[in-house]
Amino acid sequence: MIGDPIAEVLDVALRVDDTRGDHVERVDRDRALLARRRFGVALPPPLVPRPADPASLPVRPGGPTDGAAIAAVQRRAWRVRYRGLLSDAFLDDLDLGYLGAYWTGRATVAPTPRHRLLVAGRPGEVHGVVDVGPTRDADAPRGADGLATWGEVRSLYVDPTVLGAGLGSALLDAAVAALADDDPERLVLWVVEGNDPARAFYERHGWRADGSTQVVPVADEELAEVRYVRDPPGR
């Protein structure tokens, strides 16, 4: 019996060892697949196989049934990219219950009509995610609706199984296109200062650091971030 399919997927994801590639115990994979068949909840890697061409995956609007898979992808991405930037104890104990509830809620109700949540993967699978909307930056000008006139890539996560295979570029392109629909004056994003691979990735795509920095509390720890900017397409 499966009482809560989202909790079932999160419970299985917690038992997957990120260091063992695509190894998943058969009983866990079977339960996750059952939850997908019966309730339509999406699954994250490695509960679903790595696509042959990650860059060609469809990028679609995220929905409530994607919430658990998005949470698992974020956790796996953090545990790979932020190792050494945050403590092992924090990364190893990331609360999937909280993340699952957050992303399910975010996919259910957008904060504003200008927010968009996009996932990479066919229905029933999530291999990456990007969240965009008006920037949260206090120095951004505001429009008549009270929202910032700058657009922000608020977060972008790609599962470690598809790192370096072009999916991050596809998601970033989709994010820029989604933001451009609202004719922003500027595009911004924040990246962890010590995350050199991510900084190099954004710089290859035409983003540049503008000198702004901030310190973000993460539980009892902190992450230093730098702001990157670029002009919207056509400007």
Side-chain angles (χ1 to χ4, degrees):
M1 290 289 294
I2 295 176
D4 182 344
I6 292 176
E8 183 74 20
V9 172
L10 294 174
D11 184 55
V12 170
L14 277 172
R15 293 197 293 273
V16 174
D17 186 342
D18 295 341
T19 66
R20 297 184 63 185
D22 62 356
H23 176 79
V24 180
E25 296 295 337
R26 182 174 177 178
V27 64
D28 284 337
R29 190 183 300 276
D30 287 348
R31 289 193 66 82
L33 291 173
L34 180 61
R36 183 170 69 174
R37 287 197 303 271
R38 287 189 176 176
F39 301 98
V41 291
L43 302 180
L47 299 175
V48 292
R50 183 186 189 278
D53 182 10
S56 68
L57 284 171
V59 176
R60 57 181 177 81
T65 56
D66 296 310
I70 294 171
V73 167
Q74 178 184 352
R75 178 176 182 267
R76 288 163 58 80
W78 273 48
R79 282 159 62 98
V80 169
R81 287 300 196 198
Y82 291 172
R83 190 72 65 178
L85 301 174
L86 291 168
S87 70
D88 288 351
F90 174 81
L91 292 173
D92 293 341
D93 294 334
L94 275 172
D95 185 351
L96 262 186
Y98 165 77
L99 292 177
Y102 172 79
W103 286 114
T104 300
R106 168 67 185 86
T108 302
V109 181
T112 75
R114 287 172 53 194
H115 283 75
R116 294 171 182 83
L117 181 67
L118 305 172
V119 298
R122 297 172 183 84
E125 299 183 6
V126 172
H127 297 269
V129 60
V130 65
D131 188 18
V132 305
T135 188
R136 297 160 287 186
D137 295 355
D139 60 341
R142 304 281 158 173
D145 59 1
L147 299 175
T149 57
W150 299 352
E152 180 180 350
V153 180
R154 298 163 66 93
S155 61
L156 191 160
Y157 302 117
V158 172
D159 191 80
T161 57
V162 291
L163 275 177
L167 185 57
S169 297
L171 279 168
L172 186 58
D173 289 346
V176 170
L179 289 170
D181 287 344
D182 296 312
D183 193 26
E185 297 174 358
R186 189 184 201 188
L187 301 183
V188 305
L189 60 82
W190 291 86
V191 59
V192 174
E193 185 174 26
N195 190 350
D196 294 335
R199 297 185 67 171
F201 166 77
Y202 291 121
E203 288 165 8
R204 287 196 302 272
H205 286 81
W207 296 75
R208 64 190 185 279
D210 74 345
S212 299
T213 63
Q214 65 182 8
V215 175
V216 178
V218 181
D220 295 328
E221 306 181 38
E222 293 180 339
L223 283 174
E225 294 184 333
V226 295
R227 186 166 70 184
Y228 276 67
V229 302
R230 61 155 286 177
D231 292 330
R235 283 186 179 252

